């Protein structure tokens, strides 16, 4: 009944994440190292969510659930996003988005193994359509540019996708019990505790936080902290209150479509026949996957 709220939330989250990929690449190229990038996100999001939590009703989190949330934070944010930042250091956003499009397959297989969720023929068709749309757009729009070490970058991206898929699986139940703010304040707290000491020990010098800083870099980091981290990670557990992990993951395929549309809008790409077709395939795939059948409650 309330599933539409989950669909809207996860759609917004993936549009934001799609915008965040080129912004992250710009930050890594010009302003911060991967660990400096992660430390900035963690500290900013921790402050944001704890301040917001002061104005909301306080929730008591059971000890077992808190452990799940903290473990999920280490997997779904610290490890997954650190791998993402490292991957984008070595490969292009196009390659990274191509790998990220495999997220629904990872989640579907893991959900079948650990949660005993059935893999129906209709759901398989939806996933294939979604990934097919993403691959169509990526293959036809790729102009041949390569990163400094694509093999390493793609390998790191695969690990990032796998840890993200595990995060979606293990936090499914707690996402239905607690508010997004309650979950995220602990997710980013544990991530900050781990990330900041590593950043200070290994990469203390960040151009963004030196005399060479510019407002463009500040604006890019503000977008990542406030939207790609704060709002995006608020919307994910909110969506998981109403949707299955496999359903949430299918929306990942929207990210490369968003990246393409942004590139066209700013003159970095041109509109070709494949882009609207890819968008239709991705959204149709998401719709088919989320359609309930006789074996599913939603």
């Amino acid at each position: 009944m309330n599933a539409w709220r989950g669909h809207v939330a996860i759609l917004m989250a993936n549009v934001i994440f799609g915008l965040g990929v080129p912004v992250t690449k710009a930050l890594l190229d010009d302003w911060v190292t991967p660990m400096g990038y992660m430390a900035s996100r963690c500290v900013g999001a921790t402050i944001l969510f704890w301040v917001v939590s002061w104005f909301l009703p306080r929730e008591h989190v059971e000890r077992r659930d808190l452990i799940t949330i903290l473990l999920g934070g280490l997997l779904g944010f610290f490890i997954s996003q650190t791998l993402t930042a490292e991957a984008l250091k070595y490969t292009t956003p196009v390659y990274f988005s191509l790998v990220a499009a495999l997220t629904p397959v990872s989640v579907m297989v893991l959900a079948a193994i650990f949660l005993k969720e059935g893999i129906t023929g209709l759901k398989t068709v939806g996933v294939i359509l979604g990934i097919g749309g993403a691959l169509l757009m990526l293959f036809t729009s790729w102009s041949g540019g390569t990163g400094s070490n694509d093999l390493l970058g793609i390998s790191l991206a695969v690990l990032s996708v796998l840890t993200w898929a595990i995060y979606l699986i293990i936090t499914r139940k707690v996402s239905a019990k607690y508010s997004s703010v309650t979950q995220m304040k602990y997710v980013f707290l544990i991530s900050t505790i781990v990330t900041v000491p590593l950043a200070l020990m290994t990469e203390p010098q960040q151009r963004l936080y030196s005399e060479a800083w510019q407002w463009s870099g500040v604006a890019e980091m503000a977008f990542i902290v406030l939207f790609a981290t704060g709002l995006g990670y608020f919307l994910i557990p909110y969506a998981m209150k109403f949707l299955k992990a496999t359903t949430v993951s299918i929306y990942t395929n929207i990210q490369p479509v968003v990246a393409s549309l942004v590139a066209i809008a700013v003159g970095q790409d041109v509109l070709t026949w494949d882009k609207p077709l890819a968008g239709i395939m991705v959204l149709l795939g998401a719709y088919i996957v989320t359609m309930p059948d006789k074996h599913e409650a939603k």
Side-chain angles (χ1 to χ4, degrees):
M1 182 177 178
N2 291 320
W4 67 272
R5 298 182 183 179
H7 293 302
V8 171
I10 201 62
L11 174 63
M12 290 177 59
N14 279 283
V15 169
I16 292 171
F17 291 152
L19 294 172
V21 172
V23 175
T24 294
K25 181 66 174 177
L27 281 167
L28 294 172
D29 287 345
D30 300 326
W31 299 109
V32 291
T33 61
M35 194 55 65
Y37 165 83
M38 285 299 300
S40 299
R41 292 185 72 181
C42 289
V43 172
T46 298
I47 295 172
L48 177 64
F49 279 108
W50 278 89
V51 169
V52 171
S53 71
W54 293 341
F55 299 94
L56 299 176
R58 188 172 183 178
E59 288 185 299
H60 172 70
V61 181
E62 297 179 13
R63 185 175 180 180
R64 182 172 60 181
D65 292 339
L66 180 59
I67 292 174
T68 300
I69 292 173
L70 294 176
L71 178 60
L74 291 176
L75 284 172
F77 186 77
F78 171 65
I79 296 177
S80 179
Q81 292 301 302
T82 297
L83 288 169
T84 292
E86 291 287 349
L88 286 170
K89 179 181 178 181
Y90 294 107
T91 192
T92 64
V94 170
Y95 272 138
F96 178 81
S97 296
L98 178 61
V99 175
L102 300 177
T103 299
V105 174
S106 301
V107 174
M108 184 174 65
V109 172
L110 291 173
I113 295 173
F114 296 107
L115 300 182
K116 309 302 180 183
E117 291 187 5
I119 303 178
T120 65
L122 185 62
K123 183 179 293 186
T124 301
V125 170
V127 171
I128 292 173
L129 268 175
I131 294 177
L135 294 179
L136 172 64
M137 187 277 296
L138 289 168
F139 279 129
T140 54
S141 66
W142 182 44
S143 60
T146 59
S148 60
N149 190 334
D150 284 315
L151 181 60
L152 176 59
I154 290 171
S155 299
L156 292 170
V158 169
L159 292 175
S160 175
V161 167
L162 290 175
T163 53
W164 176 249
I166 296 172
Y167 163 77
L168 292 177
I169 295 295
I170 68 174
T171 61
R172 176 66 177 91
K173 291 184 178 179
V174 296
S175 294
K177 292 178 63 175
Y178 305 103
S179 70
S180 299
V181 172
T182 296
Q183 294 176 68
M184 290 301 104
K185 72 178 185 180
Y186 289 114
V187 164
F188 289 109
L189 178 61
I190 188 64
S191 297
T192 296
I193 292 172
V194 175
T195 305
V196 171
L198 289 175
L200 293 176
M201 287 188 299
T202 61
E203 301 167 343
Q205 299 299 321
Q206 306 293 327
R207 186 165 177 261
L208 183 61
Y209 305 115
S210 69
E211 294 182 355
W213 72 275
Q214 294 181 12
W215 284 112
S216 59
V218 173
E220 290 167 359
M221 184 59 74
F223 174 83
I224 292 297
V225 171
L226 295 177
F227 293 95
T229 306
L231 182 57
Y233 276 81
F234 168 84
L235 292 171
I236 290 171
Y238 178 81
M240 291 181 69
K241 289 179 178 291
F242 311 104
L243 305 174
K244 289 187 175 183
T246 305
T247 302
V248 170
S249 70
I250 189 66
Y251 280 92
T252 304
N253 289 329
I254 293 173
Q255 294 182 30
V257 177
V258 171
S260 178
L261 292 175
V262 171
I264 294 171
V266 299
Q268 297 176 345
D269 205 340
V270 295
L271 180 62
T272 55
W273 65 269
D274 59 284
K275 294 179 177 66
L277 177 59
I280 292 172
M281 291 175 66
V282 167
L283 295 176
L284 180 59
Y287 173 73
I288 291 175
V289 167
T290 57
M291 287 177 59
D293 56 35
K294 62 182 180 180
H295 301 294
E296 298 176 314
K298 51 182 164 183

